[in-house]
Amino acid sequence: QKEVEQDPGPLSVPEGAIVSLNCTYSNSAFQYFMWYRQYSRKGPELLMYTYSSGNKEDGRFTAQVDKSSKYISLFIRDSQPSDSATYLCAMSRGSNYQLIWGAGTKLIIKP
Amino acid sequence: DAEITQSPRHKITETGRQVTLACHQTWNHNNMFWYRQDLGHGLRLIHYSYGVQDTNKGEVSDGYSVSRSNTEDLPLTLESAASSQTSVYFCASSESVAMGADTQYFGPGTRLTVL
């Protein structure tokens, strides 16, 4: 079993919909949780970074961490065609530990 | 602006040949990483370096090597290319942090095909 599980999709939704992307993990030592966005034929770029449990909001994006359930989510409100990309979750125990990556979910926003 | 570049962007080679992929960053970051990305596997760590002369094996290091002679560059060498090494390769860099997890900045990737 992988340390981080992420449904590869694709997930296709109409423009304006609320999108929910999720990852589950098995290692309770993870404390830092990240979401990266990767456009086609580009490198990943950091979208959201959270520490421990709770929510973090940045514009249309909300990252949520539930450490008791070992479950993290990324919500996108008012989704736009420009949000079409692959979203990868990543997590770490902290400095001097490697990032552990999910497989990525391909998201398609239909105009 | 600081950036991380990779070359070549596309490469086709034959089985058994030695191939070197270049990675150059102008962030002045201590940490550099090489990943490969394949469908269904996400990003898998090949090698990483925490500074000049420092190199470490990652999850899928067999058949690959790196060397770090300066801060800016971490070339990745495939000693004898195999078809299983057909993939997209990403280089990343990050600044060392005392607390928390480092934020990695990625290059644009190199698409390697081994025939």
Side-chain angles (χ1 to χ4, degrees):
Chain A
Q1 185 185 3
K2 293 181 180 179
E3 275 191 287
V4 179
E5 299 280 358
Q6 184 176 12
D7 187 334
L11 176 63
S12 182
V13 301
E15 182 177 357
I18 296 174
V19 175
S20 173
L21 303 168
N22 311 294
C23 288
T24 59
Y25 62 95
S26 57
N27 190 341
S28 58
F30 289 142
Q31 296 189 74
Y32 300 92
F33 305 90
M34 283 142 274
W35 287 95
Y36 279 74
R37 178 175 61 195
Q38 183 178 21
Y39 290 115
S40 181
R41 298 186 179 270
K42 302 285 187 183
E45 56 181 354
L46 181 67
L47 187 61
M48 298 285 283
Y49 177 114
T50 55
Y51 166 67
S52 195
S53 285
N55 293 357
K56 182 175 182 179
E57 189 174 319
D58 184 0
R60 297 184 295 109
F61 299 88
T62 299
Q64 189 173 81
V65 175
D66 182 349
K67 291 189 72 179
S68 62
S69 300
K70 298 189 183 70
Y71 190 89
I72 69 170
S73 300
L74 178 71
F75 298 97
I76 307 174
R77 291 185 299 280
D78 187 26
S79 56
Q80 304 294 311
S82 58
D83 295 326
S84 297
T86 296
Y87 290 79
L88 300 103
C89 63
M91 45 199 80
S92 171
R93 297 168 66 178
S95 58
N96 298 321
Y97 290 94
Q98 294 303 323
L99 285 180
I100 306 301
W101 295 85
T105 298
K106 183 174 184 177
L107 175 65
I108 301 168
I109 308 296
K110 298 175 294 185
Chain B
D1 285 348
E3 62 177 354
I4 181 166
T5 56
Q6 294 182 234
S7 62
R9 295 294 313 277
H10 298 87
K11 174 78 176 177
I12 299 175
T13 191
E14 295 178 344
T15 300
R17 291 191 180 266
Q18 183 180 81
V19 177
T20 297
L21 308 183
C23 174
H24 179 81
Q25 54 100 359
T26 58
W27 291 97
N28 199 34
H29 285 161
N30 285 329
N31 306 332
M32 295 186 73
F33 308 84
W34 273 105
Y35 292 93
R36 60 179 289 175
Q37 187 175 39
D38 305 284
L39 275 174
H41 290 280
L43 289 167
R44 291 185 290 175
L45 185 62
I46 305 172
H47 281 286
Y48 59 100
S49 168
Y50 287 147
V52 176
Q53 303 300 333
D54 175 74
T55 60
N56 305 279
K57 294 181 178 180
E59 175 189 359
V60 290
S61 61
D62 287 349
Y64 303 94
S65 64
V66 294
S67 62
R68 185 94 179 268
S69 59
N70 58 52
T71 300
E72 296 80 20
D73 299 289
L74 187 69
L76 177 71
T77 297
L78 286 68
E79 306 293 345
S80 177
S83 58
S84 60
Q85 295 176 309
T86 293
S87 186
V88 181
Y89 291 85
F90 287 100
C91 181
S93 71
S94 70
E95 187 175 6
S96 299
V97 293
M99 291 283 291
D102 56 341
T103 299
Q104 295 187 9
Y105 296 82
F106 283 80
T110 294
R111 190 169 293 269
L112 177 67
T113 301
V114 183
L115 300 176

